[in-house]
Amino acid sequence: MKLIIYPEPGYEGWGKFLAEMPNGWEIGNYQLLQELKDNELEVDVWPCVVDKQKDAGLCLDFPKYPCDIPDRTVCVMLEPPVVFPREYIKMNSLPFKRILTFARDFCDDVRVFWEPCPITKYEGTLADKRDGYICAVSGRGYPFESVTINGRFYESFVQRRREAYMSMGRDLDLYGFGWMDDTEMRNAVNYKGTIPGNKIPVMSGYKNAIVFENCYCEGYASEKQYDAQVAGVHPLLRGWRPDYPWEYAYTENWVKRVVKHIMGVL
């Protein structure tokens, strides 16, 4: 038996799965592999040969692959309901033995379990001075729409985020991918381009930061909030505030719990 890892789309294969990723997420992948090895599991990364009956699987995000996943597969839902509404709507019919999500509204602690958004622990340096007034570090993002699932309304904050940026005008230094195509935004704010490597050192040179999650969802607090706290900036936040210590979400602890779920379906 092998444990087949199905990475997020775009990171298929060993090379991409272990390559440098935004926010140091590849560190979590190395920690995951080590935890699986410590549990004496043979591991492969899709694309690879799969025995649907004998192997087990771990889907990081939803599989969009031209193959059948193993019968014993754990899925980690790495996006909130506004990003993957159809998957949340049909969660009960998804072909997984267990599902891990940070949307608590959907958890039953039988097949669907809550796990926080994984955070890569930052141990680097910070800026010496806070000369900047306010920044925002965010990609332009897709125009996710608000959605109602099981009677609960999840408002997409993507448009509100853009409106907040525009309202700050030249007081705002904006970093992130995708904004080069938004002429109106680039003319309104100080667009600084993308940040190579970790964004926390850049954020630490400011006093304030605009921090908008993709939506408000109980249990969902992304690295955006963690980055602001570690950088020491005052967050102008729209989203759910975590009710757990960040250490609980550190990838080094998160992977241990994920592997326990995998062992639970073998």
Side-chain angles (χ1 to χ4, degrees), residues 170-186:
R170 293 295 180 181
D171 288 332
L172 176 67
D173 288 350
L174 174 62
Y175 301 84
F177 60 88
W179 298 109
M180 284 300 297
D181 298 328
D182 192 331
T183 303
E184 184 181 21
M185 179 66 73
R186 289 191 292 106

Side-chain angles (χ1 to χ4, degrees), residues 3-7 11-14 17 44-50 58 64-70:
L3 188 283
I4 310 298
I5 296 177
Y6 296 84
Y11 294 98
E12 299 90 344
W14 281 104
F17 183 68
D44 208 345
V45 175
W46 198 90
C48 60
V49 176
V50 178
L58 173 63
K64 298 178 176 64
Y65 311 114
C67 67
D68 290 330
I69 61 172

Side-chain angles (χ1 to χ4, degrees), residues 89-139:
I89 290 171
K90 63 181 183 180
M91 182 179 288
N92 290 336
S93 63
L94 293 175
F96 305 114
K97 284 293 185 182
R98 289 191 187 182
I99 297 173
L100 309 181
T101 173
F102 38 63
R104 286 179 176 165
D105 293 340
F106 297 84
C107 298
D108 58 16
D109 294 333
V110 177
R111 177 173 171 262
V112 183
F113 298 84
W114 176 79
E115 276 294 334
C117 180
I119 300 296
T120 303
K121 183 179 180 181
Y122 182 72
E123 297 178 311
T125 60
L126 302 177
D128 295 330
K129 297 181 179 179
R130 294 187 182 277
D131 297 328
Y133 171 58
I134 185 168
C135 71
V137 184
S138 174

Side-chain angles (χ1 to χ4, degrees), residues 150-187:
N150 298 335
R152 296 186 177 92
F153 178 69
Y154 300 94
E155 179 187 1
S156 171
F157 292 155
V158 174
Q159 182 59 31
R160 287 180 179 269
R161 182 165 55 205
R162 188 179 189 280
E163 293 169 355
Y165 294 170
M166 293 288 292
S167 69
M168 295 301 301
R170 293 295 180 181
D171 288 332
L172 176 67
D173 288 350
L174 174 62
Y175 301 84
F177 60 88
W179 298 109
M180 284 300 297
D181 298 328
D182 192 331
T183 303
E184 184 181 21
M185 179 66 73
R186 289 191 292 106
N187 289 338

